[in-house]
Amino acid sequence: MTTFKESLTQDLDIFLNMDEFAEEHELNGVPTLCVVQSPTDREIFLQNRDYAGYDGIYGKQTIVHVKKSDLPELPPEQQVFYLDGEIYKVAQVIDDMGMVSIVLESNMRGG
């Protein structure tokens, strides 16, 4: 009989499987299986998270879901982070039973 923790680990392997949801992305230059999510403005608003840039600059928010065991270390908040060669800043890191969600933000100029 498997324990609850073992069941969670198996669930992570299903969720982060290339045949299911995961894709390979470069996280700080290392190819890693993960799920990349770009929440809509409405989703950000409903989560009560506001990204306020400066006048003429707007933000892009991306969330990376990855197995903790696939990362060499948890990135500290405010650190520079590269996702597929694009530069971001780590806004938040959530470690939830082996699944890590890294909230990334980048600034863009308005046109």
CSV table of all heavy atoms in Angstrom, one decimal, residues 14-74:
chain,number,residue,atom,x,y,z
A,14,ILE,N,3.0,12.3,-13.2
A,14,ILE,CA,1.9,12.3,-14.3
A,14,ILE,C,1.7,13.8,-14.8
A,14,ILE,O,1.7,14.0,-16.0
A,14,ILE,CB,0.6,11.8,-13.7
A,14,ILE,CG1,0.8,10.3,-13.5
A,14,ILE,CG2,-0.5,12.0,-14.7
A,14,ILE,CD1,-0.4,9.7,-12.7
A,15,PHE,N,1.6,14.7,-13.9
A,15,PHE,CA,1.4,16.1,-14.3
A,15,PHE,C,2.5,16.7,-15.1
A,15,PHE,O,2.3,17.3,-16.1
A,15,PHE,CB,1.1,16.9,-13.1
A,15,PHE,CG,0.8,18.4,-13.3
A,15,PHE,CD1,-0.4,18.7,-13.9
A,15,PHE,CD2,1.7,19.4,-13.0
A,15,PHE,CE1,-0.7,20.0,-14.2
A,15,PHE,CE2,1.4,20.7,-13.3
A,15,PHE,CZ,0.2,21.0,-13.9
A,16,LEU,N,3.7,16.3,-14.7
A,16,LEU,CA,4.9,16.8,-15.4
A,16,LEU,C,5.5,15.8,-16.3
A,16,LEU,O,6.7,15.5,-16.3
A,16,LEU,CB,6.0,17.3,-14.3
A,16,LEU,CG,5.5,18.5,-13.5
A,16,LEU,CD1,6.5,18.8,-12.4
A,16,LEU,CD2,5.4,19.7,-14.5
A,17,ASN,N,4.6,15.2,-17.1
A,17,ASN,CA,5.0,14.2,-18.1
A,17,ASN,C,4.8,14.9,-19.5
A,17,ASN,O,3.7,15.5,-19.7
A,17,ASN,CB,4.1,13.0,-17.9
A,17,ASN,CG,4.3,11.9,-18.9
A,17,ASN,OD1,4.5,12.2,-20.1
A,17,ASN,ND2,4.3,10.7,-18.4
A,18,MET,N,5.7,14.7,-20.4
A,18,MET,CA,5.6,15.3,-21.8
A,18,MET,C,4.3,14.8,-22.5
A,18,MET,O,3.8,15.5,-23.4
A,18,MET,CB,6.8,15.1,-22.6
A,18,MET,CG,8.0,16.0,-22.1
A,18,MET,SD,9.4,16.0,-23.1
A,18,MET,CE,8.8,17.0,-24.5
A,19,ASP,N,3.9,13.6,-22.2
A,19,ASP,CA,2.7,13.1,-22.8
A,19,ASP,C,1.4,13.7,-22.3
A,19,ASP,O,0.3,13.5,-22.8
A,19,ASP,CB,2.6,11.6,-22.7
A,19,ASP,CG,3.7,10.9,-23.5
A,19,ASP,OD1,4.1,11.5,-24.5
A,19,ASP,OD2,4.2,9.8,-23.1
A,20,GLU,N,1.5,14.4,-21.2
A,20,GLU,CA,0.3,15.0,-20.5
A,20,GLU,C,0.4,16.5,-20.6
A,20,GLU,O,-0.1,17.1,-21.6
A,20,GLU,CB,0.2,14.5,-19.0
A,20,GLU,CG,0.1,13.1,-18.9
A,20,GLU,CD,-1.2,12.5,-19.5
A,20,GLU,OE1,-2.2,13.2,-19.6
A,20,GLU,OE2,-1.2,11.3,-19.8
A,21,PHE,N,1.0,17.2,-19.6
A,21,PHE,CA,1.0,18.6,-19.6
A,21,PHE,C,2.3,19.3,-19.8
A,21,PHE,O,2.4,20.4,-20.3
A,21,PHE,CB,0.4,19.1,-18.2
A,21,PHE,CG,-1.0,18.6,-18.0
A,21,PHE,CD1,-1.2,17.6,-17.0
A,21,PHE,CD2,-2.1,19.1,-18.6
A,21,PHE,CE1,-2.5,17.1,-16.8
A,21,PHE,CE2,-3.4,18.7,-18.4
A,21,PHE,CZ,-3.5,17.7,-17.4
A,22,ALA,N,3.4,18.7,-19.4
A,22,ALA,CA,4.7,19.3,-19.4
A,22,ALA,C,5.3,19.5,-20.8
A,22,ALA,O,5.0,18.7,-21.7
A,22,ALA,CB,5.6,18.5,-18.5
A,23,GLU,N,6.2,20.5,-20.9
A,23,GLU,CA,7.0,20.7,-22.0
A,23,GLU,C,8.4,21.0,-21.5
A,23,GLU,O,8.6,21.4,-20.4
A,23,GLU,CB,6.5,21.9,-22.8
A,23,GLU,CG,5.1,21.7,-23.4
A,23,GLU,CD,4.6,23.0,-24.1
A,23,GLU,OE1,5.1,24.1,-23.8
A,23,GLU,OE2,3.8,22.8,-25.0
A,24,GLU,N,9.4,20.8,-22.4
A,24,GLU,CA,10.8,21.1,-22.1
A,24,GLU,C,11.0,22.6,-22.3
A,24,GLU,O,10.8,23.1,-23.4
A,24,GLU,CB,11.7,20.2,-22.8
A,24,GLU,CG,13.2,20.4,-22.3
A,24,GLU,CD,14.1,19.4,-23.0
A,24,GLU,OE1,14.6,19.8,-24.1
A,24,GLU,OE2,14.3,18.3,-22.5
A,25,HIS,N,11.5,23.3,-21.3
A,25,HIS,CA,11.9,24.7,-21.4
A,25,HIS,C,13.3,24.8,-20.7
A,25,HIS,O,13.6,24.0,-19.9
A,25,HIS,CB,10.9,25.6,-20.6
A,25,HIS,CG,9.6,25.6,-21.3
A,25,HIS,ND1,9.3,26.6,-22.2
A,25,HIS,CD2,8.4,24.9,-21.1
A,25,HIS,CE1,8.0,26.4,-22.6
A,25,HIS,NE2,7.5,25.4,-21.9
A,26,GLU,N,14.0,25.9,-21.1
A,26,GLU,CA,15.2,26.1,-20.4
A,26,GLU,C,15.0,27.0,-19.2
A,26,GLU,O,14.5,28.2,-19.4
A,26,GLU,CB,16.2,26.8,-21.4
A,26,GLU,CG,16.8,25.8,-22.4
A,26,GLU,CD,18.0,26.4,-23.2
A,26,GLU,OE1,18.5,27.4,-22.8
A,26,GLU,OE2,18.4,25.8,-24.2
A,27,LEU,N,15.4,26.5,-18.1
A,27,LEU,CA,15.3,27.3,-16.8
A,27,LEU,C,16.7,27.6,-16.4
A,27,LEU,O,17.5,26.7,-16.1
A,27,LEU,CB,14.6,26.5,-15.7
A,27,LEU,CG,13.2,26.0,-16.0
A,27,LEU,CD1,12.6,25.3,-14.8
A,27,LEU,CD2,12.3,27.1,-16.5
A,28,ASN,N,17.1,28.9,-16.5
A,28,ASN,CA,18.5,29.3,-16.3
A,28,ASN,C,19.5,28.5,-17.1
A,28,ASN,O,20.5,28.1,-16.6
A,28,ASN,CB,18.8,29.3,-14.8
A,28,ASN,CG,18.2,30.4,-14.0
A,28,ASN,OD1,17.9,31.5,-14.6
A,28,ASN,ND2,17.9,30.2,-12.8
A,29,GLY,N,19.1,28.2,-18.3
A,29,GLY,CA,20.0,27.5,-19.3
A,29,GLY,C,20.0,26.0,-19.2
A,29,GLY,O,20.7,25.4,-19.9
A,30,VAL,N,19.2,25.5,-18.3
A,30,VAL,CA,19.1,24.0,-18.1
A,30,VAL,C,17.8,23.5,-18.7
A,30,VAL,O,16.7,23.9,-18.2
A,30,VAL,CB,19.2,23.6,-16.6
A,30,VAL,CG1,19.1,22.1,-16.5
A,30,VAL,CG2,20.5,24.1,-16.1
A,31,PRO,N,17.8,22.6,-19.7
A,31,PRO,CA,16.5,22.0,-20.2
A,31,PRO,C,15.8,21.2,-19.0
A,31,PRO,O,16.4,20.4,-18.4
A,31,PRO,CB,17.0,21.0,-21.3
A,31,PRO,CG,18.4,21.4,-21.6
A,31,PRO,CD,19.0,22.0,-20.4
A,32,THR,N,14.5,21.6,-18.8
A,32,THR,CA,13.8,21.0,-17.7
A,32,THR,C,12.3,20.8,-18.1
A,32,THR,O,11.8,21.7,-18.8
A,32,THR,CB,13.8,22.0,-16.5
A,32,THR,OG1,15.2,22.4,-16.2
A,32,THR,CG2,13.2,21.4,-15.2
A,33,LEU,N,11.7,19.7,-17.7
A,33,LEU,CA,10.3,19.5,-17.9
A,33,LEU,C,9.5,20.4,-16.9
A,33,LEU,O,9.8,20.3,-15.7
A,33,LEU,CB,9.9,18.1,-17.7
A,33,LEU,CG,10.3,17.1,-18.7
A,33,LEU,CD1,9.9,15.7,-18.4
A,33,LEU,CD2,9.7,17.5,-20.1
A,34,CYS,N,8.6,21.2,-17.4
A,34,CYS,CA,7.8,22.0,-16.6
A,34,CYS,C,6.5,22.5,-17.3
A,34,CYS,O,6.4,22.2,-18.5
A,34,CYS,CB,8.6,23.3,-16.2
A,34,CYS,SG,9.2,24.3,-17.5
A,35,VAL,N,5.7,23.1,-16.6
A,35,VAL,CA,4.5,23.7,-17.2
A,35,VAL,C,4.6,25.2,-17.1
A,35,VAL,O,4.8,25.7,-16.0
A,35,VAL,CB,3.2,23.2,-16.5
A,35,VAL,CG1,1.9,23.9,-17.1
A,35,VAL,CG2,3.0,21.7,-16.7
A,36,VAL,N,4.5,26.0,-18.2
A,36,VAL,CA,4.6,27.4,-18.2
A,36,VAL,C,3.2,28.0,-18.4
A,36,VAL,O,2.5,27.6,-19.4
A,36,VAL,CB,5.6,27.9,-19.2
A,36,VAL,CG1,5.6,29.4,-19.3
A,36,VAL,CG2,7.0,27.3,-19.0
A,37,GLN,N,2.8,28.9,-17.5
A,37,GLN,CA,1.5,29.5,-17.6
A,37,GLN,C,1.6,31.0,-17.6
A,37,GLN,O,2.4,31.6,-16.9
A,37,GLN,CB,0.8,29.1,-16.3
A,37,GLN,CG,-0.6,29.7,-16.1
A,37,GLN,CD,-1.2,29.4,-14.7
A,37,GLN,OE1,-0.5,28.8,-13.9
A,37,GLN,NE2,-2.4,29.8,-14.5
A,38,SER,N,0.9,31.6,-18.5
A,38,SER,CA,0.8,33.1,-18.6
A,38,SER,C,-0.6,33.5,-18.2
A,38,SER,O,-1.5,33.5,-19.0
A,38,SER,CB,1.2,33.6,-20.0
A,38,SER,OG,2.5,33.2,-20.3
A,39,PRO,N,-0.8,33.9,-16.9
A,39,PRO,CA,-2.1,34.2,-16.5
A,39,PRO,C,-2.7,35.5,-17.2
A,39,PRO,O,-1.9,36.4,-17.5
A,39,PRO,CB,-2.0,34.5,-15.0
A,39,PRO,CG,-0.6,34.6,-14.7
A,39,PRO,CD,0.2,34.0,-15.9
A,40,THR,N,-4.0,35.5,-17.4
A,40,THR,CA,-4.6,36.7,-18.1
A,40,THR,C,-4.7,37.8,-17.0
A,40,THR,O,-4.6,37.6,-15.8
A,40,THR,CB,-6.0,36.4,-18.6
A,40,THR,OG1,-6.8,36.0,-17.5
A,40,THR,CG2,-5.9,35.2,-19.6
A,41,ASP,N,-4.9,39.0,-17.5
A,41,ASP,CA,-5.2,40.2,-16.6
A,41,ASP,C,-6.3,39.9,-15.6
A,41,ASP,O,-6.2,40.2,-14.4
A,41,ASP,CB,-5.5,41.4,-17.3
A,41,ASP,CG,-4.2,42.0,-18.1
A,41,ASP,OD1,-3.1,41.6,-17.7
A,41,ASP,OD2,-4.4,42.7,-19.0
A,42,ARG,N,-7.3,39.2,-16.1
A,42,ARG,CA,-8.5,38.9,-15.2
A,42,ARG,C,-8.1,37.9,-14.1
A,42,ARG,O,-8.5,38.1,-13.0
A,42,ARG,CB,-9.6,38.3,-16.1
A,42,ARG,CG,-10.9,38.0,-15.3
A,42,ARG,CD,-12.0,37.5,-16.3
A,42,ARG,NE,-13.3,37.4,-15.6
A,42,ARG,CZ,-13.7,36.5,-14.8
A,42,ARG,NH1,-12.8,35.5,-14.5
A,42,ARG,NH2,-14.9,36.5,-14.3
A,43,GLU,N,-7.3,36.9,-14.5
A,43,GLU,CA,-6.9,35.9,-13.5
A,43,GLU,C,-6.0,36.6,-12.4
A,43,GLU,O,-6.1,36.3,-11.2
A,43,GLU,CB,-6.1,34.8,-14.1
A,43,GLU,CG,-6.9,33.9,-15.0
A,43,GLU,CD,-6.1,32.9,-15.8
A,43,GLU,OE1,-5.0,33.2,-16.2
A,43,GLU,OE2,-6.6,31.8,-16.0
A,44,ILE,N,-5.1,37.5,-12.9
A,44,ILE,CA,-4.3,38.2,-11.9
A,44,ILE,C,-5.1,39.1,-11.0
A,44,ILE,O,-4.9,39.1,-9.8
A,44,ILE,CB,-3.2,39.1,-12.7
A,44,ILE,CG1,-2.2,38.2,-13.4
A,44,ILE,CG2,-2.5,40.0,-11.7
A,44,ILE,CD1,-1.4,38.9,-14.4
A,45,PHE,N,-6.1,39.8,-11.6
A,45,PHE,CA,-7.0,40.6,-10.8
A,45,PHE,C,-7.8,39.8,-9.7
A,45,PHE,O,-7.9,40.1,-8.6
A,45,PHE,CB,-8.0,41.3,-11.7
A,45,PHE,CG,-9.1,42.1,-10.9
A,45,PHE,CD1,-8.8,43.3,-10.3
A,45,PHE,CD2,-10.4,41.6,-10.8
A,45,PHE,CE1,-9.8,44.0,-9.6
A,45,PHE,CE2,-11.3,42.3,-10.1
A,45,PHE,CZ,-11.0,43.5,-9.5
A,46,LEU,N,-8.3,38.6,-10.2
A,46,LEU,CA,-9.1,37.7,-9.3
A,46,LEU,C,-8.3,37.2,-8.2
A,46,LEU,O,-8.8,36.8,-7.1
A,46,LEU,CB,-9.8,36.6,-10.1
A,46,LEU,CG,-10.9,37.1,-11.0
A,46,LEU,CD1,-11.4,35.9,-11.8
A,46,LEU,CD2,-12.1,37.7,-10.2
A,47,GLN,N,-7.0,37.0,-8.4
A,47,GLN,CA,-6.1,36.5,-7.3
A,47,GLN,C,-5.6,37.7,-6.4
A,47,GLN,O,-4.8,37.5,-5.5
A,47,GLN,CB,-4.8,35.9,-8.0
A,47,GLN,CG,-5.1,34.6,-8.7
A,47,GLN,CD,-3.9,34.1,-9.5
A,47,GLN,OE1,-2.8,34.6,-9.4
A,47,GLN,NE2,-4.1,33.1,-10.3
A,48,ASN,N,-6.1,38.9,-6.7
A,48,ASN,CA,-5.8,40.1,-5.9
A,48,ASN,C,-4.3,40.4,-6.0
A,48,ASN,O,-3.7,40.9,-5.1
A,48,ASN,CB,-6.2,39.9,-4.5
A,48,ASN,CG,-6.6,41.2,-3.8
A,48,ASN,OD1,-6.7,42.2,-4.5
A,48,ASN,ND2,-6.7,41.2,-2.5
A,49,ARG,N,-3.7,40.1,-7.2
A,49,ARG,CA,-2.3,40.4,-7.4
A,49,ARG,C,-2.2,41.5,-8.5
A,49,ARG,O,-2.8,41.3,-9.6
A,49,ARG,CB,-1.5,39.2,-7.9
A,49,ARG,CG,-1.3,38.1,-6.9
A,49,ARG,CD,-0.5,37.0,-7.4
A,49,ARG,NE,0.7,37.4,-8.0
A,49,ARG,CZ,1.9,37.4,-7.3
A,49,ARG,NH1,2.0,37.0,-6.2
A,49,ARG,NH2,3.0,37.9,-7.9
A,50,ASP,N,-1.6,42.5,-8.2
A,50,ASP,CA,-1.5,43.6,-9.1
A,50,ASP,C,-0.1,43.8,-9.5
A,50,ASP,O,0.8,43.8,-8.6
A,50,ASP,CB,-2.1,44.9,-8.5
A,50,ASP,CG,-2.1,46.1,-9.5
A,50,ASP,OD1,-2.2,45.8,-10.7
A,50,ASP,OD2,-2.1,47.2,-9.0
A,51,TYR,N,0.2,44.0,-10.8
A,51,TYR,CA,1.5,44.2,-11.3
A,51,TYR,C,1.6,45.7,-11.7
A,51,TYR,O,1.0,46.0,-12.8
A,51,TYR,CB,2.0,43.3,-12.4
A,51,TYR,CG,3.4,43.6,-12.8
A,51,TYR,CD1,4.5,43.1,-12.1
A,51,TYR,CD2,3.7,44.4,-13.9
A,51,TYR,CE1,5.8,43.4,-12.4
A,51,TYR,CE2,5.0,44.7,-14.2
A,51,TYR,CZ,6.0,44.2,-13.5
A,51,TYR,OH,7.3,44.5,-13.8
A,52,ALA,N,2.1,46.6,-11.0
A,52,ALA,CA,2.2,48.0,-11.3
A,52,ALA,C,3.6,48.3,-11.7
A,52,ALA,O,4.5,48.3,-10.9
A,52,ALA,CB,1.8,48.8,-10.1
A,53,GLY,N,3.7,48.6,-13.0
A,53,GLY,CA,5.0,49.1,-13.5
A,53,GLY,C,5.1,50.6,-13.4
A,53,GLY,O,4.3,51.2,-12.6
A,54,TYR,N,6.0,51.2,-14.1
A,54,TYR,CA,6.1,52.6,-14.1
A,54,TYR,C,5.4,53.2,-15.3
A,54,TYR,O,4.9,52.5,-16.2
A,54,TYR,CB,7.6,53.0,-14.2
A,54,TYR,CG,8.4,52.5,-13.0
A,54,TYR,CD1,9.2,51.3,-13.1
A,54,TYR,CD2,8.4,53.2,-11.8
A,54,TYR,CE1,9.9,50.8,-12.0
A,54,TYR,CE2,9.1,52.7,-10.7
A,54,TYR,CZ,9.9,51.5,-10.9
A,54,TYR,OH,10.6,51.1,-9.8
A,55,ASP,N,5.2,54.5,-15.3
A,55,ASP,CA,4.5,55.2,-16.4
A,55,ASP,C,5.2,54.8,-17.7
A,55,ASP,O,6.3,55.0,-17.9
A,55,ASP,CB,4.5,56.7,-16.2
A,55,ASP,CG,3.6,57.4,-17.2
A,55,ASP,OD1,2.6,56.8,-17.6
A,55,ASP,OD2,3.8,58.6,-17.5
A,56,GLY,N,4.4,54.3,-18.7
A,56,GLY,CA,4.9,53.9,-20.0
A,56,GLY,C,5.5,52.5,-20.0
A,56,GLY,O,6.0,52.0,-21.1
A,57,ILE,N,5.5,51.8,-18.9
A,57,ILE,CA,6.1,50.5,-18.8
A,57,ILE,C,5.0,49.6,-18.2
A,57,ILE,O,4.3,49.9,-17.3
A,57,ILE,CB,7.3,50.4,-17.9
A,57,ILE,CG1,8.4,51.3,-18.5
A,57,ILE,CG2,7.8,49.0,-17.7
A,57,ILE,CD1,9.7,51.3,-17.7
A,58,TYR,N,4.8,48.4,-18.9
A,58,TYR,CA,3.8,47.5,-18.3
A,58,TYR,C,4.6,46.2,-18.1
A,58,TYR,O,5.7,45.9,-18.5
A,58,TYR,CB,2.6,47.3,-19.3
A,58,TYR,CG,3.0,46.7,-20.6
A,58,TYR,CD1,2.8,45.3,-20.8
A,58,TYR,CD2,3.4,47.5,-21.7
A,58,TYR,CE1,3.2,44.8,-22.0
A,58,TYR,CE2,3.8,46.9,-22.9
A,58,TYR,CZ,3.6,45.6,-23.1
A,58,TYR,OH,3.9,45.0,-24.3
A,59,GLY,N,3.9,45.3,-17.3
A,59,GLY,CA,4.6,44.1,-16.9
A,59,GLY,C,4.0,42.8,-17.6
A,59,GLY,O,2.8,42.8,-18.0
A,60,LYS,N,4.8,41.8,-17.7
A,60,LYS,CA,4.4,40.5,-18.1
A,60,LYS,C,4.6,39.6,-17.0
A,60,LYS,O,5.7,39.6,-16.4
A,60,LYS,CB,5.2,40.1,-19.4
A,60,LYS,CG,5.0,38.7,-19.8
A,60,LYS,CD,5.9,38.4,-21.0
A,60,LYS,CE,5.8,37.0,-21.4
A,60,LYS,NZ,6.8,36.6,-22.5
A,61,GLN,N,3.6,38.8,-16.7
A,61,GLN,CA,3.8,37.8,-15.6
A,61,GLN,C,3.7,36.4,-16.2
A,61,GLN,O,2.8,36.1,-17.0
A,61,GLN,CB,2.8,38.0,-14.5
A,61,GLN,CG,3.0,37.2,-13.3
A,61,GLN,CD,2.0,37.5,-12.2
A,61,GLN,OE1,0.8,37.1,-12.4
A,61,GLN,NE2,2.3,38.2,-11.2
A,62,THR,N,4.6,35.5,-15.7
A,62,THR,CA,4.7,34.1,-16.2
A,62,THR,C,4.9,33.3,-14.9
A,62,THR,O,5.6,33.6,-14.1
A,62,THR,CB,5.8,33.9,-17.2
A,62,THR,OG1,5.6,34.8,-18.3
A,62,THR,CG2,5.8,32.5,-17.7
A,63,ILE,N,4.2,32.1,-14.9
A,63,ILE,CA,4.4,31.2,-13.8
A,63,ILE,C,4.9,29.9,-14.3
A,63,ILE,O,4.4,29.3,-15.3
A,63,ILE,CB,3.0,31.0,-13.1
A,63,ILE,CG1,2.4,32.3,-12.6
A,63,ILE,CG2,3.2,30.0,-11.9
A,63,ILE,CD1,1.0,32.2,-12.0
A,64,VAL,N,6.0,29.4,-13.7
A,64,VAL,CA,6.6,28.1,-14.1
A,64,VAL,C,6.3,27.1,-13.0
A,64,VAL,O,6.6,27.4,-11.8
A,64,VAL,CB,8.1,28.3,-14.3
A,64,VAL,CG1,8.7,26.9,-14.6
A,64,VAL,CG2,8.4,29.3,-15.3
A,65,HIS,N,5.7,26.0,-13.3
A,65,HIS,CA,5.4,24.9,-12.4
A,65,HIS,C,6.4,23.8,-12.7
A,65,HIS,O,6.5,23.3,-13.8
A,65,HIS,CB,4.0,24.4,-12.5
A,65,HIS,CG,3.0,25.5,-12.4
A,65,HIS,ND1,2.6,25.9,-11.2
A,65,HIS,CD2,2.3,26.1,-13.3
A,65,HIS,CE1,1.6,26.9,-11.3
A,65,HIS,NE2,1.5,27.0,-12.6
A,66,VAL,N,7.2,23.4,-11.7
A,66,VAL,CA,8.3,22.4,-11.9
A,66,VAL,C,8.5,21.6,-10.6
A,66,VAL,O,8.2,22.1,-9.5
A,66,VAL,CB,9.6,23.2,-12.3
A,66,VAL,CG1,10.1,24.1,-11.2
A,66,VAL,CG2,10.7,22.2,-12.7
A,67,LYS,N,9.0,20.4,-10.8
A,67,LYS,CA,9.3,19.5,-9.6
A,67,LYS,C,10.5,20.1,-8.9
A,67,LYS,O,11.5,20.4,-9.5
A,67,LYS,CB,9.6,18.1,-10.1
A,67,LYS,CG,8.3,17.3,-10.3
A,67,LYS,CD,8.5,15.8,-10.5
A,67,LYS,CE,9.8,15.2,-10.8
A,67,LYS,NZ,9.8,13.8,-11.1
A,68,LYS,N,10.4,20.2,-7.6
A,68,LYS,CA,11.5,20.7,-6.8
A,68,LYS,C,12.7,19.9,-7.0
A,68,LYS,O,13.8,20.5,-7.1
A,68,LYS,CB,11.1,20.7,-5.3
A,68,LYS,CG,12.1,21.3,-4.4
A,68,LYS,CD,11.6,21.3,-2.9
A,68,LYS,CE,12.6,21.9,-2.0
A,68,LYS,NZ,12.1,22.0,-0.6
A,69,SER,N,12.6,18.6,-7.2
A,69,SER,CA,13.8,17.7,-7.4
A,69,SER,C,14.5,18.0,-8.7
A,69,SER,O,15.6,17.6,-8.9
A,69,SER,CB,13.4,16.3,-7.3
A,69,SER,OG,12.4,15.9,-8.3
A,70,ASP,N,13.8,18.7,-9.7
A,70,ASP,CA,14.4,19.0,-11.0
A,70,ASP,C,15.2,20.3,-10.9
A,70,ASP,O,15.8,20.6,-11.9
A,70,ASP,CB,13.4,19.0,-12.1
A,70,ASP,CG,12.8,17.7,-12.4
A,70,ASP,OD1,13.4,16.7,-12.0
A,70,ASP,OD2,11.8,17.6,-13.1
A,71,LEU,N,15.1,21.0,-9.8
A,71,LEU,CA,15.9,22.3,-9.7
A,71,LEU,C,17.1,22.1,-8.9
A,71,LEU,O,17.1,21.4,-7.8
A,71,LEU,CB,15.0,23.3,-9.0
A,71,LEU,CG,13.7,23.8,-9.7
A,71,LEU,CD1,12.9,24.7,-8.8
A,71,LEU,CD2,14.1,24.5,-11.0
A,72,PRO,N,18.2,22.7,-9.3
A,72,PRO,CA,19.4,22.6,-8.5
A,72,PRO,C,19.3,23.3,-7.1
A,72,PRO,O,19.8,22.9,-6.1
A,72,PRO,CB,20.5,23.3,-9.3
A,72,PRO,CG,19.8,24.1,-10.3
A,72,PRO,CD,18.5,23.5,-10.5
A,73,GLU,N,18.4,24.4,-7.1
A,73,GLU,CA,18.1,25.1,-5.9
A,73,GLU,C,16.9,26.0,-6.1
A,73,GLU,O,16.5,26.2,-7.3
A,73,GLU,CB,19.3,26.0,-5.5
A,73,GLU,CG,19.6,27.1,-6.5
A,73,GLU,CD,20.8,28.0,-6.1
A,73,GLU,OE1,21.4,27.8,-5.0
A,73,GLU,OE2,21.1,28.9,-6.9
A,74,LEU,N,16.2,26.4,-5.1
A,74,LEU,CA,15.1,27.3,-5.2
A,74,LEU,C,15.6,28.7,-5.5
A,74,LEU,O,16.5,29.1,-4.7
A,74,LEU,CB,14.2,27.3,-4.0
A,74,LEU,CG,13.4,26.0,-3.7
A,74,LEU,CD1,12.6,26.1,-2.4
A,74,LEU,CD2,12.5,25.6,-4.8
